[in-house]
Amino acid sequence: MSDFGTLSEAITKGNIQAAVAETQNLINAGSGAQDILENGLIATMNEVGDRFAKGLIFVPQMLRSAKTMQECTKLLQPFFQEGDVTSKGKVLIGTVKGDLHDIGKNLVSMMMEGAGFTIIDLGVDVAPEQFVQKAKEIEPDILGMSALLSTTMPAMPQTIEALKTAGIRDKIKVMIGGAPVTDKYAQQIEADGYASDAGSAVIKAKKLLDIS
Ligand code: B12
């Protein structure tokens, strides 16, 4: 594993310029994109979350670190492209109502796109009726929902209910994820799949659609 000390410090301080430069340095030095993502970027965001939980930093610092991480992620995007791929299916994705966290959702979108899925991203704070309206319009193969707050997780079963009411639940595979979400929760709310990270999300999506 590479040394991510400099990168981690730059993200923690929210120094976009330094973090982007260091990400590029690591790429140039031969560090793998997956290694940089998992052990550099995501590991640092987890530390940022812990510092926030302990009251050592506040929302503005957390936001600045998040923006910094997003900029670094852009440099990694080309490495997650699986090459010559035809569309594997349509994925409608969004962060649920009341929730503004989008880093994880964006990573899932990026990896899925790299694997050949067509992504339609509704952004953050997406209400059940918005998911349903768009799903009726574009008829996706998969609907992906992200939630990072325990208080916004109930919007997931609410969206599934709304799909049922609209009569389209059985036409779509529902996948859910986000730090507080678990496989057990997915089963409980009768989602079709759960994945703990973006790489597993791609594997799960292919499995659900029975493709390789
Ligand atoms: C960055 C951040 C923010 C940023 C978000 C910026 C942005 N653009 O996303 C800002 C500053 C806005 C923010 C705000 C808040 N936050 Co915040 N935040 C975080 C932090 C530090 C990192 C989240 C993150 O991006 N992680 C990195 C990504 C890559 O991981 P991930 O999201 O889990 O995604 C991966 C998997 O979960 C999965 N996945 C994710 N989505 C999906 C979807 C599908 C379909 C699938 C299959 C998989 C999947 O794949 C992803 C990639 O591997 C976390 C701490 C943490 N450890 O999670 C707190 C955290 C989530 N926040 C927290 C809180 C409390 C808040 C606030 C309420 C704070 C406040 N007092 O205002 C607000 C809420 C605002 C709102 N309404 O949403 C708490 C939540 C506690 C809880 N369990 O409810 C946490 C855990 C911090 C803590 N330890 O207390 N936050």
Side-chain angles (χ1 to χ4, degrees):
M1 195 170 81
S2 312
D3 178 3
F4 296 117
T6 307
L7 178 60
S8 183
E9 194 187 330
I11 293 173
T12 306
K13 286 186 178 159
N15 186 338
I16 296 180
Q17 222 183 343
V20 167
E22 179 59 10
T23 304
Q24 192 60 58
N25 285 341
L26 287 161
I27 293 170
N28 295 346
S31 296
Q34 193 69 33
D35 192 19
I36 299 175
L37 180 65
E38 276 174 23
N39 301 314
L41 305 180
I42 296 180
T44 304
M45 282 317 288
N46 285 336
E47 280 165 26
V48 168
D50 289 345
R51 287 167 65 80
F52 171 77
K54 286 181 188 146
L56 297 171
I57 58 163
F58 301 96
V59 170
Q61 287 104 315
M62 194 158 63
L63 187 57
R64 185 83 189 155
S65 293
K67 280 192 181 144
T68 307
M69 175 184 168
Q70 302 254 45
E71 289 304 316
C72 298
T73 310
K74 287 181 190 164
L75 296 185
L76 302 180
Q77 191 157 11
F79 298 95
F80 294 112
Q81 211 70 36
E82 276 182 20
D84 195 17
V85 278
T86 47
S87 182
K88 292 217 160 57
K90 249 185 265 177
V91 180
L92 178 64
I93 195 164
T95 301
V96 299
K97 191 177 162 102
D99 202 318
L100 303 176
H101 297 85
D102 66 357
I103 297 180
K105 167 189 68 67
N106 293 345
L107 278 178
V108 171
S109 301
M110 183 178 93
M111 294 267 192
M112 288 237 189
E113 198 161 50
F117 290 92
T118 304
I119 305 294
I120 300 94
D121 187 350
L122 288 175
V124 297
D125 191 18
V126 183
E129 38 298 358
Q130 286 173 274
F131 275 118
V132 169
Q133 196 191 352
K134 199 68 182 177
K136 278 182 170 170
E137 188 191 316
I138 63 161
E139 299 182 348
D141 301 283
I142 293 177
L143 188 151
M145 285 185 272
S146 180
L148 263 287
L149 300 172
S150 36
T151 48
T152 57
M153 282 166 67
M156 291 175 160
Q158 283 162 14
T159 304
I160 292 177
E161 272 311 307
L163 291 172
K164 281 185 191 162
T165 308
I168 53 174
R169 171 66 185 96
D170 51 4
K171 295 193 181 111
I172 303 171
K173 300 287 184 197
V174 175
M175 282 181 68
I176 61 170
V181 179
T182 59
D183 201 14
K184 194 171 165 213
Y185 185 68
Q187 288 173 29
Q188 204 179 308
I189 67 168
E190 294 179 352
D192 299 293
Y194 156 81
S196 61
D197 58 72
S200 322
V202 171
I203 296 168
K204 190 77 193 179
K206 286 180 178 173
K207 207 171 166 190
L208 286 176
L209 300 186
D210 210 9
I211 49 179
S212 52

